[in-house]
Amino acid sequence: MNGTAEKTDVVVIGGGPGGSTTATLLAKRGHRVVLLEKETFPRYQIGESLLPSTVHGIGRLLGVTEELERAAFTVKRGGSFRWGTNPVPWNFLFALAPELSGPTSYAYQVERMKFDDILLRNAARCGVDVREQSPVTEVLADGERVRGVRYTSPDGVPREVHAAFVVDASGNRSRVHQHVGGERIHSEFFRNIALFGYFEGGRRLPAPDSGNILCAAFDEGWIWYIPLSPTLTSVGAVISREHAARLRGDQEKALLGFVDRCAIVRDFLSEATRVTEGVYGEIRTRKDYSYTNSTFHRPGMVLVGDAACFIDPVFSTGVHLATYAGLLAARSINSVLAGDLPEDRVFAEFEGRYRREYRVFYEFLSAFYDMQSDEESYFWKARKVTDMDATDLEAFVTLVGGVHSGEQAFLNASADLSEAVERTGSMQTATGDEMHHLFGTPVVREVMQEMNNVQVRGVLGASVKEEPLLPDGLVPASDGLSWVDPAAAR
């Protein structure tokens, strides 16, 4: 390797949410971080619907909560579904999960160009050396570990930077992940294709559900309907590969054809026009997007976000998994650089927690694709895969809110349901009334009885003893940015 190469503590490849999260949380511990991004932000990206765990958990750790509020993104208090055997749309509220109750029981629909740019600029303010237009061309490694990378600077000059760790957050299309070893295993179940575009002037659900993501099933698959602003809507059709032939030729005709077979979305778009210019003017496709790598790390290198795995867009888990992995990776690297714990142990914790989160969502989403089920059976499946001691409805909302892992950094201050209703509106809405049997008073009373016991620690300054999530596992340090061995602390 080049003896004149630049040296730093960590190189992060990719400036999306996973990369920005990892880099920022490393810089907050005083480490030198170089972030290499091949594009110039803001840039287009799909995946606009967030979960509360990202907005209020990761957002607080990164220090961007107020900036996200100022961005005036569309507020979503849950989700609305025309799914399964029930012909009427049904809702869930984030406020029904005890961990998500309170004035922050909501998330955002975001234009990723704006959201990702906020996170990347925040990383730079926190001390990360952000270098755009700097594609990585080679990962430098020897028989023992990864040692750094080669990249091309914006002026076209090849450069080399050595580091104790390399974080690959370069997304699903990059091949950098191959340097970790193992193989990329594609799902046999989620062999789907997504076809999507953007529309102006589409209708909204009745307030206060107007910001909800709407997922509506039709014979060949399902459609997402994401209100990004009062007038702009992201619309995508997810279909199985057996229907791929319908995508050949005129893709606008194909997308509108799927919309036409989904009555509720067809009605919502009846007076809308498709955006045909600018960054939102293109109709795009994604295929073979569900996969996981057989390993997420090797000595000196770790995979984060879509570089490691992706499941499916139905419950907006992509950004959640990416930022959660960024938090886990930062804890692990911070622990090693501080000399607190050995590398093999902290990355066993990283991989164990990351795969656990992936597995639970994968199992639940697999069940959710059973179009012949009704919503009560989905709730039961959520409780089964999360192994929660909770009502079925609580388990469902806790899972899809992104907080079933028990990570205290994700959780909100305790409050009762009345505070959530004050912030996000009552569940007794036009669509909520139609599902009154799901959100009846017995369930609400059970939730209210328990949610006042919810406690938080870390960024909110509260103190709570956190037990290991894995057998003989580690726990987060008091600031949530590294690992602690609970056995050694006794």
Side-chain angles (χ1 to χ4, degrees):
M1 287 188 284
N2 188 344
T4 62
E6 178 185 3
K7 295 182 180 180
T8 191
D9 294 323
V10 183
V11 171
V12 175
I13 308 171
S20 293
T21 295
T22 311
T24 300
L25 300 182
L26 291 169
K28 282 181 175 287
R29 277 291 185 92
H31 301 305
R32 298 171 300 159
V33 184
V34 173
L35 188 152
L36 301 173
E37 166 56 48
K38 66 179 181 179
E39 298 186 52
T40 300
F41 278 41
R43 55 87 178 97
Y44 174 81
Q45 184 61 272
I46 189 64
E48 301 105 337
S49 197
L50 304 185
L51 300 184
S53 58
T54 301
V55 173
H56 306 296
I58 298 297
R60 286 195 193 97
L61 286 172
L62 298 178
V64 297
T65 303
E66 292 183 359
E67 191 170 0
L68 293 177
E69 291 177 354
R70 290 194 299 269
F73 293 123
T74 298
V75 173
K76 56 179 276 193
R77 67 190 198 119
S80 300
F81 289 81
R82 217 311 298 154
W83 203 273
T85 57
N86 188 345
V88 179
W90 53 274
N91 288 353
F92 70 86
L93 297 178
F94 293 130
L96 288 175
E99 295 85 353
L100 296 172
S101 64
T104 53
S105 53
Y106 64 92
Y108 295 125
Q109 316 284 17
V110 299
E111 293 181 66
R112 285 285 302 277
M113 292 181 66
K114 298 176 182 178
F115 176 77
D116 291 10
D117 194 56
I118 287 173
L119 266 55
L120 187 63
R121 303 311 164 200
N122 177 68
R125 288 195 300 271
C126 290
V128 176
D129 184 352
V130 175
R131 304 178 188 178
E132 297 171 90
Q133 294 183 302
S134 299
V136 170
T137 57
E138 185 178 353
V139 172
L140 305 173
D142 54 30
E144 295 182 354
R145 61 185 298 114
V146 170
R147 304 286 184 181
V149 301
R150 289 194 180 99
Y151 74 99
T152 304
S153 66
D155 56 4
V157 177
R159 300 187 184 278
E160 192 169 300
V161 57
H162 297 173
F165 287 95
V166 172
V167 178
D168 178 17
S170 58
N172 67 333
R173 295 184 175 182
S174 166
R175 296 184 177 181
V176 176
H177 69 89
Q178 295 173 349
H179 294 276
V180 161
E183 60 179 328
R184 176 161 288 183
I185 303 168
H186 288 269
S187 169
E188 289 298 321
F189 185 86
F190 292 103
R191 295 180 62 83
N192 299 327
I193 301 174
L195 176 70
F196 52 96
Y198 296 82
F199 292 78
E200 277 283 346
R203 282 181 49 201
R204 298 289 180 258
L205 290 164
D209 299 328
S210 55
N212 282 11
I213 181 174
L214 170 65
C215 297
F218 65 104
D219 289 343
E220 294 91 345
W222 64 277
I223 291 180
W224 75 68
Y225 190 94
I226 303 176
L228 297 177
S229 77
T231 61
L232 180 65
T233 307
S234 171
V235 179
V238 178
I239 63 171
S240 62
R241 292 195 61 164
E242 64 190 76
H243 301 293
R246 301 191 183 188
L247 303 185
R248 295 172 187 159
D250 189 333
Q251 297 209 324
E252 179 176 31
K253 182 178 179 180
L255 178 59
L256 294 179
F258 292 133
V259 167
D260 192 55
R261 287 192 288 282
C262 184
I264 187 170
V265 175
R266 181 180 68 235
D267 181 53
F268 274 35
L269 292 178
S270 61
E271 299 180 4
T273 57
R274 190 178 75 80
V275 178
T276 57
E277 297 180 352
V279 70
Y280 294 134
E282 179 183 348
I283 290 183
R284 296 175 168 91
T285 60
R286 295 285 189 275
K287 63 180 180 179
D288 294 330
Y289 52 67
S290 187
Y291 57 85
T292 182
N293 279 55
S294 59
T295 183
F296 291 164
H297 72 95
R298 64 171 287 193
M301 187 173 180
V302 59
L303 305 181
V304 163
D306 289 1
C309 59
F310 185 81
I311 308 175
D312 189 82
V314 68
F315 273 114
S316 315
T317 58
V319 175
H320 165 70
L321 286 171
T323 55
Y324 179 53
L327 170 62
L328 298 178
R331 285 175 178 170
S332 301
I333 295 172
N334 282 335
S335 299
V336 175
L337 293 181
D340 295 335
L341 291 163
E343 185 173 341
D344 58 350
R345 187 167 187 201
V346 298
F347 281 102
E349 187 74 24
F350 163 86
E351 183 137 352
R353 288 186 181 234
Y354 196 3
R355 287 197 182 281
R356 180 181 182 274
E357 193 83 349
Y358 176 89
R359 175 190 57 79
V360 170
F361 273 108
Y362 187 96
E363 289 184 21
F364 175 69
L365 297 181
S366 298
F368 202 82
Y369 264 83
D370 179 2
M371 301 293 183
Q372 299 308 310
S373 298
D374 62 19
E375 57 274 14
E376 286 93 337
S377 68
Y378 302 138
F379 299 149
W380 176 86
K381 181 64 176 180
R383 185 174 68 176
K384 181 178 179 182
V385 300
T386 58
D387 195 27
M388 288 183 63
D389 181 18
T391 67
D392 295 345
L393 182 56
E394 286 175 64
F396 176 84
V397 179
T398 297
L399 176 65
V400 301
V403 295
H404 87 275
S405 66
E407 287 283 352
Q408 295 298 319
F410 288 165
L411 308 183
N412 304 319
S414 60
D416 64 31
L417 188 59
S418 62
E419 293 180 53
V421 169
E422 183 178 350
R423 176 60 187 258
T424 64
S426 168
M427 71 185 75
Q428 301 306 320
T429 64
T431 49
D433 281 338
E434 291 164 349
M435 291 304 296
H436 183 72
H437 66 281
L438 274 181
F439 300 122
T441 54
V443 172
V444 174
R445 281 199 301 269
E446 287 185 40
V447 172
M448 291 179 65
Q449 288 170 0
E450 297 181 3
M451 61 179 56
N452 283 330
N453 296 323
V454 177
Q455 295 179 339
V456 295
R457 62 141 186 88
V459 293
L460 295 183
S463 178
V464 62
K465 183 179 180 181
E466 193 163 349
E467 297 296 328
L469 187 63
L470 307 174
D472 300 318
L474 304 173
V475 297
S478 59
D479 64 356
L481 300 186
S482 62
W483 298 116
V484 173
D485 184 346
R490 294 191 183 102

